[in-house]
Amino acid sequence: MKVWGRLIDIHLRDIYPAVINFDKGVINSIEKISKAPDMYILPGLIDSHIHIESSMVTPGSFAKAAVSRGTTAVVSDPHEIANVLGIEGVKYMINDSKKVPLKFFFGAPSCVPATSFETSGAIIDHRAIEELLGMKEIKYLAEMMNFPGVIYNDPEVYKKINIAKKFNKPVDGHAPGVTGEKLRKYVSAGITTDHECSTLREAKEKIALGMKILIREGSAAKNLGDLKDLFRTNPDMVMLCSDDLHPEMLLKRHLSKLIAQLVSDGYDLFDIVRSCTINPAKHYGLEAGLLQSGQPADFIIVDDYRKMDVSETWINGEKVYDRGEVLFTYLRADPVNKFNCSEIAAKDILITGGAGKIRVIGALDGHLLTKEVIMDAGPDKYIEPDINLDILKIVVKDRYNDSPPSVGFIRGFGLKLGAFASSVAHDSHNIICIGTNNSDIVKAINETIRIKGGLAISSEGKISSLQLSIAGIMSDQPVNRVAADYKLLSKSVKAMGCKMSAPFMTLSFMALLVIPELKLSDKGLFDVNKFCFVPLFVE
């Protein structure tokens, strides 16, 4: 077969008329010609780090949306479903991905559970890591979130890293704010990437030590604006990634629109495209993204690279998307789950008050980082939310057992009415809820329990929900339907006063104990910097 167009050649850093000859999914030759149709051919785009589960749909449904954005491959960490179902959850993702042409390159989740300070549905130890890394579908050891374990020589952590070295597979990092000697120790263990940088200074320190920086632009965490100057100083050391992308954002844009945005900002086209093609392909050893003779015929066609509206997407020499139409089918997945807890009552989330000060989680829009805020507890018998001061109650309930919920306080969400809950709560995916009053908090949590996982809102006597029947974190419905339902719920939460641009996404990270500073797990309030539990009341 042949395809003609103006080739954006990342290897030669040139744009010229060309014809691509390919057969049986492989490029035989790329020839310069004198004239070609007025359209541009680029390598298929690779998302260098994403959790498919955060799109709230299965790999197959994700693929149908992603190919319309020119994405032909993803480097995917199935960490979320692994925390619920263990190694069988990873295999579930692999098997589902084989139903569609999009290329999924999975990692072996390195931290299941992410910490020992929360309840998860499974454990993946070094023996399970060896089994996973021995599979051809597993390309790398996924993000080593337990950076204290690396820094302080945890034997189990190093067993996992050494197994990756034995299989000659790279190790992804996760080291938010880690600098100096601790960072040098972390990198010297053999960890090669980081997607948690939020400042240029942090990124450049990590690059100086040899780390590749995955610039994240997801639904909750957006770092492109702060880090994009790396395309001018260190283009060979950066990749673009989404990390966590909720369904409505996946339908709006993926990597293609990030390319257009960066081109508009004046950054070099070849360096930008390289970050989501050649750089991840070479780092992870992928059969994708190179667009040269002898490589898979993975490419996309756009009318204007400054806008990056994708006309066609080709994978292994097959056209999978053509001007608004996805050219492959996907059979819905079989539901799997693990959801064992019973409903709660208002008495389960009461906190006895009294004079003194309490620790409050300070949340920030567009960031996973939080701050510890010290505030007065108030004189009443029970401490309750104060919407005038934007102090809301936050509850995390273990979904796997009938244990008591953990309760704290949070500010930054701005909620004025009701409560909203989710069983998408990184990383163990227990139920997390924020609310203005105990009654609505209980109703939102119990609705999440009733549907065996999903998103729920309770406000002014009305309950709304979105069921996520697969592991309590994904739906078996098409992405456009999930996106519509998700968008409606998000709009409702904002109508209740929430100031967060992505309320449910931000909520899902308030239980993530590996992102500083103060978080809440099902076992209690946690200081990530000290890596230990701390009491609600300040002594």
Side-chain angles (χ1 to χ4, degrees):
M1 294 184 67
K2 299 177 184 291
V3 171
W4 291 266
R6 295 182 58 80
L7 178 67
I8 298 178
D9 191 325
I10 310 304
H11 305 277
L12 298 179
R13 300 180 66 86
D14 194 8
I15 301 175
Y16 53 84
V19 58
I20 301 175
N21 300 286
F22 55 95
D23 183 46
K24 297 180 180 178
V26 177
I27 297 172
N28 295 325
S29 65
I30 299 177
E31 304 171 21
K32 285 187 177 181
I33 55 179
S34 58
K35 290 182 66 176
D38 192 20
M39 58 187 186
Y40 295 88
I41 305 174
L42 296 82
L45 307 179
I46 304 171
D47 193 321
S48 60
H49 176 75
I50 191 168
H51 304 281
I52 299 299
E53 303 97 312
S54 290
S55 68
M56 298 185 185
V57 293
T58 57
S61 288
F62 176 93
K64 295 197 74 173
V67 295
S68 69
R69 299 291 174 257
T71 303
T72 58
V74 292
V75 180
S76 174
D77 176 6
H79 173 89
E80 314 304 342
I81 197 169
N83 268 279
V84 179
L85 298 170
I87 196 169
E88 294 308 312
V90 178
K91 292 179 179 179
Y92 181 94
M93 298 293 280
I94 292 172
N95 291 335
D96 192 76
S97 74
K98 291 179 179 179
K99 301 175 182 178
V100 291
L102 185 77
K103 295 182 177 181
F104 292 84
F105 300 106
F106 288 103
S110 66
C111 300
V112 177
T115 73
S116 60
F117 302 102
E118 57 197 307
T119 304
S120 70
I123 295 174
I124 293 183
D125 61 13
H126 71 274
R127 298 174 187 85
I129 289 294
E130 181 137 26
E131 178 184 343
L132 288 170
L133 287 173
M135 298 169 60
K136 68 180 186 303
E137 296 92 346
I138 302 294
K139 296 293 185 180
Y140 65 106
L141 183 63
E143 54 181 308
M144 180 49 72
M145 293 182 289
N146 188 0
F147 57 86
V150 177
I151 294 166
Y152 299 111
N153 301 310
D154 184 303
E156 178 69 9
V157 166
Y158 274 89
K159 285 178 183 178
K160 294 176 180 179
I161 293 172
N162 289 333
I163 291 168
K165 292 177 179 178
K166 182 180 79 171
F167 284 100
N168 196 31
K169 295 183 178 181
V171 182
D172 264 9
H174 170 113
V178 179
T179 62
E181 188 55 41
K182 290 181 178 180
L183 178 61
R184 285 189 283 274
K185 177 70 178 294
Y186 186 74
V187 176
S188 69
I191 297 167
T192 58
T193 70
D194 188 79
H195 61 274
E196 293 292 342
C197 292
S198 56
T199 67
L200 274 175
R201 181 177 179 179
E202 179 184 358
K204 288 184 175 180
E205 181 180 0
K206 289 173 178 176
I207 287 173
L209 293 172
M211 296 186 95
K212 306 284 179 62
I213 301 303
L214 281 55
I215 301 177
R216 171 176 57 193
E217 190 73 2
S219 290
K222 302 177 187 295
N223 306 123
L224 183 61
D226 293 320
L227 302 180
K228 60 186 178 182
D229 276 355
L230 294 175
F231 283 102
R232 293 198 171 104
T233 60
N234 304 94
D236 58 328
M237 298 295 286
V238 298
M239 309 178 213
L240 282 174
C241 78
S242 301
D243 196 8
D244 295 286
L245 202 62
H246 267 194
E248 91 296 352
M249 185 63 73
L250 177 60
L251 290 180
K252 287 181 181 178
R253 72 176 198 176
H254 198 192
L255 301 174
S256 56
K257 290 304 179 181
L258 299 184
I259 293 172
Q261 176 184 330
L262 288 164
V263 169
S264 176
D265 289 343
Y267 293 88
D268 183 87
L269 171 66
F270 302 106
D271 289 335
I272 299 165
V273 177
R274 177 190 177 102
S275 72
C276 45
T277 56
I278 294 176
N279 288 357
K282 290 189 173 180
H283 180 79
Y284 293 102
L286 312 178
E287 293 183 352
L290 296 181
L291 194 55
Q292 58 186 181
S293 296
Q295 293 293 323
D298 300 347
F299 56 88
I300 63 175
I301 297 174
V302 301
D303 292 331
D304 185 348
Y305 66 80
R306 290 170 289 268
K307 295 181 179 179
M308 287 298 294
D309 294 323
V310 177
S311 300
E312 299 179 19
T313 302
W314 294 70
I315 300 177
N316 288 336
E318 296 290 334
K319 188 189 293 188
V320 299
Y321 174 77
D322 187 4
R323 291 169 177 81
E325 183 181 0
V326 176
L327 303 180
F328 62 89
T329 58
Y330 166 66
L331 298 177
R332 283 164 53 181
D334 296 326
V336 291
N337 211 342
K338 185 184 286 186
F339 218 100
N340 303 319
C341 67
S342 303
E343 294 185 355
I344 66 168
K347 62 181 178 60
D348 298 323
I349 60 172
L350 295 177
I351 299 178
T352 303
K357 296 183 179 296
I358 58 172
R359 291 179 171 88
V360 176
I361 299 169
L364 303 169
D365 192 20
H367 293 274
L368 309 188
L369 298 168
T370 63
K371 296 293 184 182
E372 179 184 84
V373 182
I374 306 300
M375 304 193 73
D376 290 325
D380 297 332
K381 179 180 179 181
Y382 296 110
I383 308 175
E384 298 298 345
D386 187 332
I387 59 175
N388 294 321
L389 295 177
D390 188 23
I391 301 176
L392 307 174
K393 186 171 281 188
I394 179 170
V395 178
V396 178
K397 170 71 181 81
D398 172 9
R399 65 179 271 191
Y400 305 102
N401 307 281
D402 277 331
S403 55
S406 177
V407 187
F409 292 90
I410 191 167
R411 69 180 307 184
F413 276 78
L415 205 65
K416 301 297 184 184
L417 297 169
F420 67 111
S422 175
S423 60
V424 180
H426 305 289
D427 275 320
S428 293
H429 298 293
N430 290 304
I431 304 167
I432 188 167
C433 183
I434 288 176
T436 61
N437 64 86
N438 294 330
S439 176
D440 281 318
I441 291 171
V442 168
K443 289 176 182 177
I445 290 174
N446 287 345
E447 173 67 5
T448 309
I449 293 170
R450 184 190 71 79
I451 61 177
K452 299 293 184 182
L455 315 180
I457 297 172
S458 176
S459 180
E460 298 183 310
K462 182 180 178 181
I463 296 175
S464 305
S465 60
L466 166 61
Q467 184 179 33
L468 301 175
S469 59
I470 299 175
I473 57 176
M474 293 183 289
S475 172
D476 62 352
Q477 299 297 315
V479 66
N480 58 341
R481 178 173 173 180
V482 176
D485 290 345
Y486 173 78
K487 187 176 180 179
L488 187 61
L489 287 178
S490 296
K491 184 178 180 180
S492 297
V493 175
K494 291 179 182 180
M496 291 154 56
C498 184
K499 298 183 294 185
M500 296 294 179
S501 55
F504 282 101
M505 177 66 88
T506 306
L507 173 69
S508 72
F509 287 102
M510 295 302 102
L512 183 55
L513 307 189
V514 292
I515 300 286
E517 178 172 50
L518 191 65
K519 297 291 174 70
L520 183 71
S521 87
D522 67 290
K523 295 182 179 180
L525 202 60
F526 193 79
D527 186 318
V528 181
N529 294 330
K530 297 176 182 177
F531 222 66
C532 66
F533 289 113
V534 291
L536 174 65
F537 288 90
V538 179
E539 297 177 356

